[in-house]
Amino acid sequence: KQEVTQIPAALSVPEGENLVLNCSFTDSAIYNLQWFRQDPGKGLTSLLLIQSSQREQTSGRLNASLDKSSGRSTLYIAASQPGDSATYLCAKRWSGGSNYKLTFGKGTLLTVNP
Amino acid sequence: DVKVTQSSRYLVKRTGEKVFLECVQDMDHENMFWYRQDPGLGLRLIYFSYDVKMKEKGDIPEGYSVSREKKERFSLILESASTNQTSMYLCASSLYPTGEKLFFGSGTQLSVL
């Protein structure tokens, strides 16, 4: 069974701090991994997509890494801002079997305090 | 940017009613998905479609059906709504089935009373 775990479930940091969100997954047969942001009561916004052949992707203050051998991905947010407050979810698409489905983690609720 | 539009933001229905949730995407994407999101359970795939008139069951299809008559529109149908179908429903689309970003709509919060 494909499982994706995000720890911690919630994180509170002061503004300006650099932070790391963690995502771990079972089964190293990964096709790609995607990070999403979700604001309260809204849909998900795609942040970064890392293919299995890649080790990291960057967009602005965000950097996502992928380590297939250890079954981990991290999302690094530099110089956090109150506007970064949201729930961050990772989702793994696995190779073998159906390539159409993602398995989502339950998310990390991030609060950045001014 | 890709736009995925869900017709209703909030919906309140009675037990036993037939409910239609509509989703439209404007970027000619091949693949469309319906998820539900519940506290503590995360996102779970209900159905997906990789082409017009094609559909495949996800992880929790029971109590739901779908329709895709046109490429841009994917409908989720609750044949006889029940209280355990109260949830946030999220539609998503992607260009290809693999290796591409998934784009989500804003969600429909459905309450079944």
Side-chain angles (χ1 to χ4, degrees), chain A residues 32 34 38 41 43-44 46 51 93 99-102 106, chain B residues 9 33 37 40 45 48 97-99 101-102 104-106:
Chain A
N32 61 44
Q34 195 164 353
Q38 186 176 29
L44 280 69
S46 178
Q51 303 292 351
R93 191 189 303 274
N99 280 324
Y100 300 92
K101 294 191 280 188
L102 295 175
K106 294 181 181 177
Chain B
R9 186 72 186 88
F33 308 81
Q37 185 177 31
L45 180 66
F48 65 96
T98 60
K101 287 185 179 181
L102 205 59
F104 280 84
S106 297

mmCIF file with all atom_site columns, all heavy atoms in Angstrom, chain A residues 32 34 38 41 43-44 46 51 93 99-102 106, chain B residues 9 33 37 40 45 48 97-99 101-102 104-106:
data_model
loop_
_atom_site.group_PDB
_atom_site.id
_atom_site.type_symbol
_atom_site.label_atom_id
_atom_site.label_alt_id
_atom_site.label_comp_id
_atom_site.label_asym_id
_atom_site.label_entity_id
_atom_site.label_seq_id
_atom_site.pdbx_PDB_ins_code
_atom_site.Cartn_x
_atom_site.Cartn_y
_atom_site.Cartn_z
_atom_site.occupancy
_atom_site.B_iso_or_equiv
_atom_site.pdbx_formal_charge
_atom_site.auth_seq_id
_atom_site.auth_comp_id
_atom_site.auth_asym_id
_atom_site.auth_atom_id
_atom_site.pdbx_PDB_model_num
ATOM 1   N N   . ASN A 1 32  ? 7.037   10.705 -9.771  1.00 0.00 ? 32  ASN A N   1
ATOM 2   C CA  . ASN A 1 32  ? 7.351   12.087 -9.438  1.00 0.00 ? 32  ASN A CA  1
ATOM 3   C C   . ASN A 1 32  ? 6.728   12.449 -8.097  1.00 0.00 ? 32  ASN A C   1
ATOM 4   O O   . ASN A 1 32  ? 5.925   11.688 -7.545  1.00 0.00 ? 32  ASN A O   1
ATOM 5   C CB  . ASN A 1 32  ? 6.916   13.067 -10.530 1.00 0.00 ? 32  ASN A CB  1
ATOM 6   C CG  . ASN A 1 32  ? 5.422   13.070 -10.793 1.00 0.00 ? 32  ASN A CG  1
ATOM 7   O OD1 . ASN A 1 32  ? 4.618   13.063 -9.864  1.00 0.00 ? 32  ASN A OD1 1
ATOM 8   N ND2 . ASN A 1 32  ? 5.039   13.108 -12.062 1.00 0.00 ? 32  ASN A ND2 1
ATOM 9   N N   . GLN A 1 34  ? 5.033   15.883 -6.005  1.00 0.00 ? 34  GLN A N   1
ATOM 10  C CA  . GLN A 1 34  ? 4.537   17.245 -6.177  1.00 0.00 ? 34  GLN A CA  1
ATOM 11  C C   . GLN A 1 34  ? 4.198   17.850 -4.816  1.00 0.00 ? 34  GLN A C   1
ATOM 12  O O   . GLN A 1 34  ? 3.635   17.167 -3.953  1.00 0.00 ? 34  GLN A O   1
ATOM 13  C CB  . GLN A 1 34  ? 3.279   17.205 -7.075  1.00 0.00 ? 34  GLN A CB  1
ATOM 14  C CG  . GLN A 1 34  ? 2.860   18.534 -7.646  1.00 0.00 ? 34  GLN A CG  1
ATOM 15  C CD  . GLN A 1 34  ? 1.872   18.380 -8.802  1.00 0.00 ? 34  GLN A CD  1
ATOM 16  O OE1 . GLN A 1 34  ? 1.593   17.280 -9.263  1.00 0.00 ? 34  GLN A OE1 1
ATOM 17  N NE2 . GLN A 1 34  ? 1.347   19.487 -9.273  1.00 0.00 ? 34  GLN A NE2 1
ATOM 18  N N   . GLN A 1 38  ? -2.378  24.774 0.183   1.00 0.00 ? 38  GLN A N   1
ATOM 19  C CA  . GLN A 1 38  ? -3.824  24.907 0.281   1.00 0.00 ? 38  GLN A CA  1
ATOM 20  C C   . GLN A 1 38  ? -4.169  25.938 1.335   1.00 0.00 ? 38  GLN A C   1
ATOM 21  O O   . GLN A 1 38  ? -3.803  25.802 2.504   1.00 0.00 ? 38  GLN A O   1
ATOM 22  C CB  . GLN A 1 38  ? -4.494  23.567 0.629   1.00 0.00 ? 38  GLN A CB  1
ATOM 23  C CG  . GLN A 1 38  ? -6.012  23.636 0.609   1.00 0.00 ? 38  GLN A CG  1
ATOM 24  C CD  . GLN A 1 38  ? -6.684  22.291 0.858   1.00 0.00 ? 38  GLN A CD  1
ATOM 25  O OE1 . GLN A 1 38  ? -6.136  21.433 1.550   1.00 0.00 ? 38  GLN A OE1 1
ATOM 26  N NE2 . GLN A 1 38  ? -7.872  22.086 0.298   1.00 0.00 ? 38  GLN A NE2 1
ATOM 27  N N   . GLY A 1 41  ? -10.231 26.422 3.203   1.00 0.00 ? 41  GLY A N   1
ATOM 28  C CA  . GLY A 1 41  ? -11.458 26.373 2.435   1.00 0.00 ? 41  GLY A CA  1
ATOM 29  C C   . GLY A 1 41  ? -11.284 26.502 0.942   1.00 0.00 ? 41  GLY A C   1
ATOM 30  O O   . GLY A 1 41  ? -12.260 26.714 0.210   1.00 0.00 ? 41  GLY A O   1
ATOM 31  N N   . GLY A 1 43  ? -9.041  25.295 -2.890  1.00 0.00 ? 43  GLY A N   1
ATOM 32  C CA  . GLY A 1 43  ? -8.413  24.173 -3.560  1.00 0.00 ? 43  GLY A CA  1
ATOM 33  C C   . GLY A 1 43  ? -6.909  24.189 -3.382  1.00 0.00 ? 43  GLY A C   1
ATOM 34  O O   . GLY A 1 43  ? -6.361  25.027 -2.672  1.00 0.00 ? 43  GLY A O   1
ATOM 35  N N   . LEU A 1 44  ? -6.232  23.258 -4.045  1.00 0.00 ? 44  LEU A N   1
ATOM 36  C CA  . LEU A 1 44  ? -4.788  23.134 -3.936  1.00 0.00 ? 44  LEU A CA  1
ATOM 37  C C   . LEU A 1 44  ? -4.105  23.863 -5.083  1.00 0.00 ? 44  LEU A C   1
ATOM 38  O O   . LEU A 1 44  ? -4.578  23.825 -6.223  1.00 0.00 ? 44  LEU A O   1
ATOM 39  C CB  . LEU A 1 44  ? -4.370  21.664 -3.992  1.00 0.00 ? 44  LEU A CB  1
ATOM 40  C CG  . LEU A 1 44  ? -4.504  20.846 -2.714  1.00 0.00 ? 44  LEU A CG  1
ATOM 41  C CD1 . LEU A 1 44  ? -5.944  20.612 -2.331  1.00 0.00 ? 44  LEU A CD1 1
ATOM 42  C CD2 . LEU A 1 44  ? -3.775  19.506 -2.867  1.00 0.00 ? 44  LEU A CD2 1
ATOM 43  N N   . SER A 1 46  ? -0.502  24.033 -7.100  1.00 0.00 ? 46  SER A N   1
ATOM 44  C CA  . SER A 1 46  ? 0.763   23.332 -7.299  1.00 0.00 ? 46  SER A CA  1
ATOM 45  C C   . SER A 1 46  ? 1.929   24.287 -7.114  1.00 0.00 ? 46  SER A C   1
ATOM 46  O O   . SER A 1 46  ? 1.948   25.394 -7.656  1.00 0.00 ? 46  SER A O   1
ATOM 47  C CB  . SER A 1 46  ? 0.792   22.728 -8.705  1.00 0.00 ? 46  SER A CB  1
ATOM 48  O OG  . SER A 1 46  ? 2.025   22.079 -8.935  1.00 0.00 ? 46  SER A OG  1
ATOM 49  N N   . GLN A 1 51  ? 10.565  15.356 -10.831 1.00 0.00 ? 51  GLN A N   1
ATOM 50  C CA  . GLN A 1 51  ? 10.540  14.064 -11.493 1.00 0.00 ? 51  GLN A CA  1
ATOM 51  C C   . GLN A 1 51  ? 11.506  13.112 -10.782 1.00 0.00 ? 51  GLN A C   1
ATOM 52  O O   . GLN A 1 51  ? 12.434  13.553 -10.106 1.00 0.00 ? 51  GLN A O   1
ATOM 53  C CB  . GLN A 1 51  ? 10.940  14.216 -12.968 1.00 0.00 ? 51  GLN A CB  1
ATOM 54  C CG  . GLN A 1 51  ? 10.077  15.178 -13.759 1.00 0.00 ? 51  GLN A CG  1
ATOM 55  C CD  . GLN A 1 51  ? 8.654   14.691 -13.955 1.00 0.00 ? 51  GLN A CD  1
ATOM 56  O OE1 . GLN A 1 51  ? 8.313   13.553 -13.643 1.00 0.00 ? 51  GLN A OE1 1
ATOM 57  N NE2 . GLN A 1 51  ? 7.794   15.553 -14.475 1.00 0.00 ? 51  GLN A NE2 1
ATOM 58  N N   . ARG A 1 93  ? 3.427   10.300 -7.028  1.00 0.00 ? 93  ARG A N   1
ATOM 59  C CA  . ARG A 1 93  ? 2.894   9.469  -8.110  1.00 0.00 ? 93  ARG A CA  1
ATOM 60  C C   . ARG A 1 93  ? 3.870   8.319  -8.284  1.00 0.00 ? 93  ARG A C   1
ATOM 61  O O   . ARG A 1 93  ? 5.067   8.523  -8.402  1.00 0.00 ? 93  ARG A O   1
ATOM 62  C CB  . ARG A 1 93  ? 2.775   10.257 -9.406  1.00 0.00 ? 93  ARG A CB  1
ATOM 63  C CG  . ARG A 1 93  ? 1.979   9.510  -10.488 1.00 0.00 ? 93  ARG A CG  1
ATOM 64  C CD  . ARG A 1 93  ? 2.062   10.225 -11.825 1.00 0.00 ? 93  ARG A CD  1
ATOM 65  N NE  . ARG A 1 93  ? 1.612   11.601 -11.769 1.00 0.00 ? 93  ARG A NE  1
ATOM 66  C CZ  . ARG A 1 93  ? 0.359   12.011 -11.888 1.00 0.00 ? 93  ARG A CZ  1
ATOM 67  N NH1 . ARG A 1 93  ? -0.597  11.120 -12.072 1.00 0.00 ? 93  ARG A NH1 1
ATOM 68  N NH2 . ARG A 1 93  ? 0.061   13.294 -11.851 1.00 0.00 ? 93  ARG A NH2 1
ATOM 69  N N   . ASN A 1 99  ? -0.445  4.774  -13.484 1.00 0.00 ? 99  ASN A N   1
ATOM 70  C CA  . ASN A 1 99  ? 0.289   6.034  -13.375 1.00 0.00 ? 99  ASN A CA  1
ATOM 71  C C   . ASN A 1 99  ? -0.634  7.216  -13.218 1.00 0.00 ? 99  ASN A C   1
ATOM 72  O O   . ASN A 1 99  ? -0.194  8.341  -13.214 1.00 0.00 ? 99  ASN A O   1
ATOM 73  C CB  . ASN A 1 99  ? 1.151   6.245  -14.621 1.00 0.00 ? 99  ASN A CB  1
ATOM 74  C CG  . ASN A 1 99  ? 2.423   5.455  -14.535 1.00 0.00 ? 99  ASN A CG  1
ATOM 75  O OD1 . ASN A 1 99  ? 2.988   5.303  -13.475 1.00 0.00 ? 99  ASN A OD1 1
ATOM 76  N ND2 . ASN A 1 99  ? 2.870   4.949  -15.658 1.00 0.00 ? 99  ASN A ND2 1
ATOM 77  N N   . TYR A 1 100 ? -1.928  6.980  -13.109 1.00 0.00 ? 100 TYR A N   1
ATOM 78  C CA  . TYR A 1 100 ? -2.864  8.065  -13.096 1.00 0.00 ? 100 TYR A CA  1
ATOM 79  C C   . TYR A 1 100 ? -3.161  8.602  -11.711 1.00 0.00 ? 100 TYR A C   1
ATOM 80  O O   . TYR A 1 100 ? -3.797  9.612  -11.574 1.00 0.00 ? 100 TYR A O   1
ATOM 81  C CB  . TYR A 1 100 ? -4.177  7.627  -13.733 1.00 0.00 ? 100 TYR A CB  1
ATOM 82  C CG  . TYR A 1 100 ? -4.019  7.190  -15.163 1.00 0.00 ? 100 TYR A CG  1
ATOM 83  C CD1 . TYR A 1 100 ? -3.798  5.868  -15.489 1.00 0.00 ? 100 TYR A CD1 1
ATOM 84  C CD2 . TYR A 1 100 ? -4.107  8.115  -16.195 1.00 0.00 ? 100 TYR A CD2 1
ATOM 85  C CE1 . TYR A 1 100 ? -3.653  5.475  -16.808 1.00 0.00 ? 100 TYR A CE1 1
ATOM 86  C CE2 . TYR A 1 100 ? -3.965  7.730  -17.516 1.00 0.00 ? 100 TYR A CE2 1
ATOM 87  C CZ  . TYR A 1 100 ? -3.737  6.401  -17.809 1.00 0.00 ? 100 TYR A CZ  1
ATOM 88  O OH  . TYR A 1 100 ? -3.598  6.010  -19.099 1.00 0.00 ? 100 TYR A OH  1
ATOM 89  N N   . LYS A 1 101 ? -2.734  7.931  -10.704 1.00 0.00 ? 101 LYS A N   1
ATOM 90  C CA  . LYS A 1 101 ? -3.140  8.297  -9.361  1.00 0.00 ? 101 LYS A CA  1
ATOM 91  C C   . LYS A 1 101 ? -1.988  8.850  -8.545  1.00 0.00 ? 101 LYS A C   1
ATOM 92  O O   . LYS A 1 101 ? -0.830  8.536  -8.749  1.00 0.00 ? 101 LYS A O   1
ATOM 93  C CB  . LYS A 1 101 ? -3.729  7.076  -8.648  1.00 0.00 ? 101 LYS A CB  1
ATOM 94  C CG  . LYS A 1 101 ? -5.036  6.597  -9.266  1.00 0.00 ? 101 LYS A CG  1
ATOM 95  C CD  . LYS A 1 101 ? -5.725  5.572  -8.394  1.00 0.00 ? 101 LYS A CD  1
ATOM 96  C CE  . LYS A 1 101 ? -5.104  4.204  -8.567  1.00 0.00 ? 101 LYS A CE  1
ATOM 97  N NZ  . LYS A 1 101 ? -5.911  3.178  -7.849  1.00 0.00 ? 101 LYS A NZ  1
ATOM 98  N N   . LEU A 1 102 ? -2.348  9.715  -7.636  1.00 0.00 ? 102 LEU A N   1
ATOM 99  C CA  . LEU A 1 102 ? -1.418  10.248 -6.665  1.00 0.00 ? 102 LEU A CA  1
ATOM 100 C C   . LEU A 1 102 ? -1.820  9.769  -5.293  1.00 0.00 ? 102 LEU A C   1
ATOM 101 O O   . LEU A 1 102 ? -2.992  9.564  -5.017  1.00 0.00 ? 102 LEU A O   1
ATOM 102 C CB  . LEU A 1 102 ? -1.457  11.771 -6.664  1.00 0.00 ? 102 LEU A CB  1
ATOM 103 C CG  . LEU A 1 102 ? -1.006  12.530 -7.894  1.00 0.00 ? 102 LEU A CG  1
ATOM 104 C CD1 . LEU A 1 102 ? -1.241  14.021 -7.693  1.00 0.00 ? 102 LEU A CD1 1
ATOM 105 C CD2 . LEU A 1 102 ? 0.456   12.280 -8.167  1.00 0.00 ? 102 LEU A CD2 1
ATOM 106 N N   . LYS A 1 106 ? -1.183  14.027 4.467   1.00 0.00 ? 106 LYS A N   1
ATOM 107 C CA  . LYS A 1 106 ? -2.271  14.764 5.105   1.00 0.00 ? 106 LYS A CA  1
ATOM 108 C C   . LYS A 1 106 ? -1.935  16.224 5.349   1.00 0.00 ? 106 LYS A C   1
ATOM 109 O O   . LYS A 1 106 ? -2.786  16.988 5.806   1.00 0.00 ? 106 LYS A O   1
ATOM 110 C CB  . LYS A 1 106 ? -2.673  14.062 6.404   1.00 0.00 ? 106 LYS A CB  1
ATOM 111 C CG  . LYS A 1 106 ? -3.280  12.691 6.142   1.00 0.00 ? 106 LYS A CG  1
ATOM 112 C CD  . LYS A 1 106 ? -3.705  11.990 7.412   1.00 0.00 ? 106 LYS A CD  1
ATOM 113 C CE  . LYS A 1 106 ? -4.279  10.607 7.058   1.00 0.00 ? 106 LYS A CE  1
ATOM 114 N NZ  . LYS A 1 106 ? -4.659  9.843  8.256   1.00 0.00 ? 106 LYS A NZ  1
ATOM 115 N N   . ARG B 2 9   ? -19.649 26.748 -4.851  1.00 0.00 ? 9   ARG B N   1
ATOM 116 C CA  . ARG B 2 9   ? -18.688 26.857 -3.763  1.00 0.00 ? 9   ARG B CA  1
ATOM 117 C C   . ARG B 2 9   ? -19.213 26.152 -2.513  1.00 0.00 ? 9   ARG B C   1
ATOM 118 O O   . ARG B 2 9   ? -18.469 25.469 -1.818  1.00 0.00 ? 9   ARG B O   1
ATOM 119 C CB  . ARG B 2 9   ? -18.417 28.323 -3.475  1.00 0.00 ? 9   ARG B CB  1
ATOM 120 C CG  . ARG B 2 9   ? -17.330 28.568 -2.459  1.00 0.00 ? 9   ARG B CG  1
ATOM 121 C CD  . ARG B 2 9   ? -15.972 28.251 -3.050  1.00 0.00 ? 9   ARG B CD  1
ATOM 122 N NE  . ARG B 2 9   ? -14.947 28.361 -2.019  1.00 0.00 ? 9   ARG B NE  1
ATOM 123 C CZ  . ARG B 2 9   ? -14.602 27.376 -1.235  1.00 0.00 ? 9   ARG B CZ  1
ATOM 124 N NH1 . ARG B 2 9   ? -15.182 26.188 -1.353  1.00 0.00 ? 9   ARG B NH1 1
ATOM 125 N NH2 . ARG B 2 9   ? -13.673 27.547 -0.316  1.00 0.00 ? 9   ARG B NH2 1
ATOM 126 N N   . PHE B 2 33  ? -10.046 14.645 -12.665 1.00 0.00 ? 33  PHE B N   1
ATOM 127 C CA  . PHE B 2 33  ? -10.117 13.851 -11.441 1.00 0.00 ? 33  PHE B CA  1
ATOM 128 C C   . PHE B 2 33  ? -11.142 14.458 -10.480 1.00 0.00 ? 33  PHE B C   1
ATOM 129 O O   . PHE B 2 33  ? -11.314 15.672 -10.436 1.00 0.00 ? 33  PHE B O   1
ATOM 130 C CB  . PHE B 2 33  ? -8.753  13.862 -10.733 1.00 0.00 ? 33  PHE B CB  1
ATOM 131 C CG  . PHE B 2 33  ? -7.588  13.479 -11.606 1.00 0.00 ? 33  PHE B CG  1
ATOM 132 C CD1 . PHE B 2 33  ? -7.009  14.395 -12.470 1.00 0.00 ? 33  PHE B CD1 1
ATOM 133 C CD2 . PHE B 2 33  ? -7.062  12.203 -11.549 1.00 0.00 ? 33  PHE B CD2 1
ATOM 134 C CE1 . PHE B 2 33  ? -5.929  14.052 -13.274 1.00 0.00 ? 33  PHE B CE1 1
ATOM 135 C CE2 . PHE B 2 33  ? -5.979  11.846 -12.343 1.00 0.00 ? 33  PHE B CE2 1
ATOM 136 C CZ  . PHE B 2 33  ? -5.416  12.770 -13.205 1.00 0.00 ? 33  PHE B CZ  1
ATOM 137 N N   . GLN B 2 37  ? -12.055 15.547 0.276   1.00 0.00 ? 37  GLN B N   1
ATOM 138 C CA  . GLN B 2 37  ? -11.093 15.839 1.327   1.00 0.00 ? 37  GLN B CA  1
ATOM 139 C C   . GLN B 2 37  ? -11.822 15.935 2.655   1.00 0.00 ? 37  GLN B C   1
ATOM 140 O O   . GLN B 2 37  ? -12.743 16.745 2.802   1.00 0.00 ? 37  GLN B O   1
ATOM 141 C CB  . GLN B 2 37  ? -10.357 17.156 1.031   1.00 0.00 ? 37  GLN B CB  1
ATOM 142 C CG  . GLN B 2 37  ? -9.257  17.474 2.022   1.00 0.00 ? 37  GLN B CG  1
ATOM 143 C CD  . GLN B 2 37  ? -8.515  18.747 1.652   1.00 0.00 ? 37  GLN B CD  1
ATOM 144 O OE1 . GLN B 2 37  ? -9.076  19.664 1.069   1.00 0.00 ? 37  GLN B OE1 1
ATOM 145 N NE2 . GLN B 2 37  ? -7.229  18.800 1.978   1.00 0.00 ? 37  GLN B NE2 1
ATOM 146 N N   . GLY B 2 40  ? -8.498  14.700 8.806   1.00 0.00 ? 40  GLY B N   1
ATOM 147 C CA  . GLY B 2 40  ? -7.901  13.477 9.322   1.00 0.00 ? 40  GLY B CA  1
ATOM 148 C C   . GLY B 2 40  ? -7.731  12.366 8.312   1.00 0.00 ? 40  GLY B C   1
ATOM 149 O O   . GLY B 2 40  ? -6.988  11.412 8.549   1.00 0.00 ? 40  GLY B O   1
ATOM 150 N N   . LEU B 2 45  ? -9.112  9.775  -3.858  1.00 0.00 ? 45  LEU B N   1
ATOM 151 C CA  . LEU B 2 45  ? -9.567  9.812  -5.240  1.00 0.00 ? 45  LEU B CA  1
ATOM 152 C C   . LEU B 2 45  ? -10.864 9.034  -5.391  1.00 0.00 ? 45  LEU B C   1
ATOM 153 O O   . LEU B 2 45  ? -10.947 7.865  -5.007  1.00 0.00 ? 45  LEU B O   1
ATOM 154 C CB  . LEU B 2 45  ? -8.495  9.224  -6.150  1.00 0.00 ? 45  LEU B CB  1
ATOM 155 C CG  . LEU B 2 45  ? -8.809  9.194  -7.629  1.00 0.00 ? 45  LEU B CG  1
ATOM 156 C CD1 . LEU B 2 45  ? -8.895  10.610 -8.201  1.00 0.00 ? 45  LEU B CD1 1
ATOM 157 C CD2 . LEU B 2 45  ? -7.740  8.398  -8.380  1.00 0.00 ? 45  LEU B CD2 1
ATOM 158 N N   . PHE B 2 48  ? -11.545 9.087  -11.894 1.00 0.00 ? 48  PHE B N   1
ATOM 159 C CA  . PHE B 2 48  ? -10.826 9.922  -12.843 1.00 0.00 ? 48  PHE B CA  1
ATOM 160 C C   . PHE B 2 48  ? -11.168 9.524  -14.270 1.00 0.00 ? 48  PHE B C   1
ATOM 161 O O   . PHE B 2 48  ? -11.720 8.444  -14.506 1.00 0.00 ? 48  PHE B O   1
ATOM 162 C CB  . PHE B 2 48  ? -9.317  9.895  -12.589 1.00 0.00 ? 48  PHE B CB  1
ATOM 163 C CG  . PHE B 2 48  ? -8.653  8.568  -12.812 1.00 0.00 ? 48  PHE B CG  1
ATOM 164 C CD1 . PHE B 2 48  ? -8.029  8.281  -14.011 1.00 0.00 ? 48  PHE B CD1 1
ATOM 165 C CD2 . PHE B 2 48  ? -8.622  7.627  -11.800 1.00 0.00 ? 48  PHE B CD2 1
ATOM 166 C CE1 . PHE B 2 48  ? -7.386  7.072  -14.199 1.00 0.00 ? 48  PHE B CE1 1
ATOM 167 C CE2 . PHE B 2 48  ? -7.991  6.407  -11.990 1.00 0.00 ? 48  PHE B CE2 1
ATOM 168 C CZ  . PHE B 2 48  ? -7.370  6.133  -13.189 1.00 0.00 ? 48  PHE B CZ  1
ATOM 169 N N   . PRO B 2 97  ? -1.414  11.993 -18.320 1.00 0.00 ? 97  PRO B N   1
ATOM 170 C CA  . PRO B 2 97  ? -1.634  11.207 -17.111 1.00 0.00 ? 97  PRO B CA  1
ATOM 171 C C   . PRO B 2 97  ? -0.417  11.112 -16.219 1.00 0.00 ? 97  PRO B C   1
ATOM 172 O O   . PRO B 2 97  ? -0.523  10.836 -15.038 1.00 0.00 ? 97  PRO B O   1
ATOM 173 C CB  . PRO B 2 97  ? -2.024  9.825  -17.658 1.00 0.00 ? 97  PRO B CB  1
ATOM 174 C CG  . PRO B 2 97  ? -1.459  9.777  -19.029 1.00 0.00 ? 97  PRO B CG  1
ATOM 175 C CD  . PRO B 2 97  ? -1.515  11.189 -19.544 1.00 0.00 ? 97  PRO B CD  1
ATOM 176 N N   . THR B 2 98  ? 0.736   11.336 -16.794 1.00 0.00 ? 98  THR B N   1
ATOM 177 C CA  . THR B 2 98  ? 1.941   11.193 -15.982 1.00 0.00 ? 98  THR B CA  1
ATOM 178 C C   . THR B 2 98  ? 2.839   12.402 -16.156 1.00 0.00 ? 98  THR B C   1
ATOM 179 O O   . THR B 2 98  ? 2.817   13.069 -17.191 1.00 0.00 ? 98  THR B O   1
ATOM 180 C CB  . THR B 2 98  ? 2.745   9.953  -16.402 1.00 0.00 ? 98  THR B CB  1
ATOM 181 O OG1 . THR B 2 98  ? 3.127   10.095 -17.775 1.00 0.00 ? 98  THR B OG1 1
ATOM 182 C CG2 . THR B 2 98  ? 1.935   8.691  -16.241 1.00 0.00 ? 98  THR B CG2 1
ATOM 183 N N   . GLY B 2 99  ? 3.606   12.668 -15.148 1.00 0.00 ? 99  GLY B N   1
ATOM 184 C CA  . GLY B 2 99  ? 4.682   13.636 -15.277 1.00 0.00 ? 99  GLY B CA  1
ATOM 185 C C   . GLY B 2 99  ? 4.267   15.076 -15.402 1.00 0.00 ? 99  GLY B C   1
ATOM 186 O O   . GLY B 2 99  ? 5.084   15.926 -15.701 1.00 0.00 ? 99  GLY B O   1
ATOM 187 N N   . LYS B 2 101 ? 1.935   18.553 -13.864 1.00 0.00 ? 101 LYS B N   1
ATOM 188 C CA  . LYS B 2 101 ? 1.307   19.129 -12.694 1.00 0.00 ? 101 LYS B CA  1
ATOM 189 C C   . LYS B 2 101 ? -0.197  18.914 -12.720 1.00 0.00 ? 101 LYS B C   1
ATOM 190 O O   . LYS B 2 101 ? -0.825  18.875 -13.777 1.00 0.00 ? 101 LYS B O   1
ATOM 191 C CB  . LYS B 2 101 ? 1.591   20.623 -12.632 1.00 0.00 ? 101 LYS B CB  1
ATOM 192 C CG  . LYS B 2 101 ? 3.013   20.974 -12.257 1.00 0.00 ? 101 LYS B CG  1
ATOM 193 C CD  . LYS B 2 101 ? 3.171   22.472 -12.104 1.00 0.00 ? 101 LYS B CD  1
ATOM 194 C CE  . LYS B 2 101 ? 4.589   22.822 -11.696 1.00 0.00 ? 101 LYS B CE  1
ATOM 195 N NZ  . LYS B 2 101 ? 4.756   24.289 -11.525 1.00 0.00 ? 101 LYS B NZ  1
ATOM 196 N N   . LEU B 2 102 ? -0.728  18.813 -11.520 1.00 0.00 ? 102 LEU B N   1
ATOM 197 C CA  . LEU B 2 102 ? -2.164  18.679 -11.335 1.00 0.00 ? 102 LEU B CA  1
ATOM 198 C C   . LEU B 2 102 ? -2.705  20.052 -10.941 1.00 0.00 ? 102 LEU B C   1
ATOM 199 O O   . LEU B 2 102 ? -2.136  20.721 -10.074 1.00 0.00 ? 102 LEU B O   1
ATOM 200 C CB  . LEU B 2 102 ? -2.416  17.667 -10.229 1.00 0.00 ? 102 LEU B CB  1
ATOM 201 C CG  . LEU B 2 102 ? -3.723  16.901 -10.192 1.00 0.00 ? 102 LEU B CG  1
ATOM 202 C CD1 . LEU B 2 102 ? -3.935  16.110 -11.457 1.00 0.00 ? 102 LEU B CD1 1
ATOM 203 C CD2 . LEU B 2 102 ? -3.746  15.980 -8.984  1.00 0.00 ? 102 LEU B CD2 1
ATOM 204 N N   . PHE B 2 104 ? -5.990  22.235 -9.587  1.00 0.00 ? 104 PHE B N   1
ATOM 205 C CA  . PHE B 2 104 ? -7.225  22.025 -8.841  1.00 0.00 ? 104 PHE B CA  1
ATOM 206 C C   . PHE B 2 104 ? -8.192  23.190 -8.972  1.00 0.00 ? 104 PHE B C   1
ATOM 207 O O   . PHE B 2 104 ? -7.783  24.346 -9.127  1.00 0.00 ? 104 PHE B O   1
ATOM 208 C CB  . PHE B 2 104 ? -6.913  21.843 -7.354  1.00 0.00 ? 104 PHE B CB  1
ATOM 209 C CG  . PHE B 2 104 ? -6.442  20.471 -6.986  1.00 0.00 ? 104 PHE B CG  1
ATOM 210 C CD1 . PHE B 2 104 ? -5.110  20.121 -7.133  1.00 0.00 ? 104 PHE B CD1 1
ATOM 211 C CD2 . PHE B 2 104 ? -7.331  19.524 -6.496  1.00 0.00 ? 104 PHE B CD2 1
ATOM 212 C CE1 . PHE B 2 104 ? -4.664  18.848 -6.800  1.00 0.00 ? 104 PHE B CE1 1
ATOM 213 C CE2 . PHE B 2 104 ? -6.893  18.254 -6.154  1.00 0.00 ? 104 PHE B CE2 1
ATOM 214 C CZ  . PHE B 2 104 ? -5.563  17.915 -6.305  1.00 0.00 ? 104 PHE B CZ  1
ATOM 215 N N   . GLY B 2 105 ? -9.477  22.891 -8.863  1.00 0.00 ? 105 GLY B N   1
ATOM 216 C CA  . GLY B 2 105 ? -10.505 23.902 -8.698  1.00 0.00 ? 105 GLY B CA  1
ATOM 217 C C   . GLY B 2 105 ? -10.543 24.372 -7.258  1.00 0.00 ? 105 GLY B C   1
ATOM 218 O O   . GLY B 2 105 ? -9.795  23.878 -6.400  1.00 0.00 ? 105 GLY B O   1
ATOM 219 N N   . SER B 2 106 ? -11.427 25.313 -6.974  1.00 0.00 ? 106 SER B N   1
ATOM 220 C CA  . SER B 2 106 ? -11.507 25.908 -5.634  1.00 0.00 ? 106 SER B CA  1
ATOM 221 C C   . SER B 2 106 ? -12.263 25.047 -4.638  1.00 0.00 ? 106 SER B C   1
ATOM 222 O O   . SER B 2 106 ? -12.241 25.331 -3.443  1.00 0.00 ? 106 SER B O   1
ATOM 223 C CB  . SER B 2 106 ? -12.181 27.279 -5.710  1.00 0.00 ? 106 SER B CB  1
ATOM 224 O OG  . SER B 2 106 ? -11.410 28.148 -6.494  1.00 0.00 ? 106 SER B OG  1
#
